[in-house]
Amino acid sequence: MTNKPKIIISVNDFLVGGAQKLIVDQLEYFYKNGYDVSLVTLMDFNERANLYHLVPSYIKVYRINIKSSYDIFGWVRLFRVFKKVRPDVVFSHLFLSNMMVRIISFFLSFRVFTVEQNTYTNKDRKSIFIDRLLSGRSEKIIAVSDEVRDFTIIQQRIKPNKCIVVPNGVDVKAIEKFKKTISKKESRIKKN
């Protein structure tokens, strides 16, 4: 039995996207800093490009393959994973994952941090209501910018201290490494 704090990072899917790439970096960071970290993805789109190949082999991955928020068997599979892992903390990204994780937190004891990546101006009334209803289950809501934070505070009707800003990180070492692989001449943009 491990005494390492257990973290689950949960996301709707693992298609090629900004949140997903950020999660790849977070998985490695948490693992290297002594956490028992797992990745939970809710939906699979096998015919589309994804980022599973970037997840280190030492990270446990649980692919739930839920069909929709109404998929009872998907809910059961997700609940079983959470019951098996018994996380101390869950970082959840994107609406479906945020909703499902917060609902499961009513039944299992773990801290929830939801991440908001965008200003969802086209979110339907039902989704806005669900976010407002469940926002109290989040220890903190993490916004990736001041604009997203301000929007989230208004849309979810939460107190400002409930939402914090943690900008998406940039791997400066990776940029420096890449810069060394190309010449200055190759890196110049030709103007027409």
Side-chain angles (χ1 to χ4, degrees), residues 21-162:
K21 175 59 177 114
L22 179 67
I23 289 169
V24 169
D25 296 337
Q26 289 174 342
L27 291 167
E28 196 159 341
Y29 172 83
F30 284 125
Y31 181 83
K32 286 182 178 178
N33 284 281
Y35 294 91
D36 180 358
V37 61
S38 302
L39 171 65
V40 172
T41 60
L42 300 182
M43 298 180 289
D44 273 334
F45 300 96
N46 295 327
E47 68 284 354
R48 295 176 59 190
N50 62 60
L51 297 179
Y52 287 108
H53 65 282
L54 297 178
V55 177
S57 60
Y58 46 81
I59 300 294
K60 293 176 282 286
V61 178
Y62 299 94
R63 294 169 76 164
I64 305 303
N65 198 21
I66 194 166
K67 304 302 178 208
S68 76
S69 61
Y70 301 106
D71 179 356
I72 300 300
F73 296 110
W75 276 93
V76 170
R77 288 191 300 275
L78 182 63
F79 185 84
R80 286 180 178 163
V81 166
F82 274 72
K83 192 171 181 183
K84 174 185 172 184
V85 174
R86 294 265 180 214
D88 298 297
V89 175
V90 177
F91 290 93
S92 179
H93 298 256
L94 306 177
F95 176 77
L96 180 63
S97 177
N98 291 349
M99 177 191 68
M100 294 181 80
V101 164
R102 291 189 284 196
I103 290 172
I104 289 173
S105 76
F106 281 104
F107 304 99
L108 300 174
S109 179
F110 55 83
R111 297 170 69 192
V112 179
F113 294 84
T114 52
V115 182
E116 293 289 345
Q117 273 96 359
N118 208 334
T119 54
Y120 299 103
T121 56
N122 61 346
K123 191 181 277 186
D124 63 45
R125 288 177 179 238
K126 181 177 82 171
S127 298
I128 293 170
F129 175 75
I130 290 169
D131 266 342
R132 287 177 182 164
L133 187 66
L134 296 175
S135 64
R137 297 303 298 172
S138 296
E139 182 102 5
K140 290 285 183 186
I141 297 172
I142 302 167
V144 299
S145 70
D146 290 330
E147 180 183 18
V148 172
R149 177 187 179 273
D150 295 345
F151 182 85
T152 300
I153 288 168
I154 292 167
Q155 190 175 65
Q156 294 187 27
R157 295 184 183 158
I158 58 174
K159 293 181 180 178
N161 66 348
K162 181 81 165 180

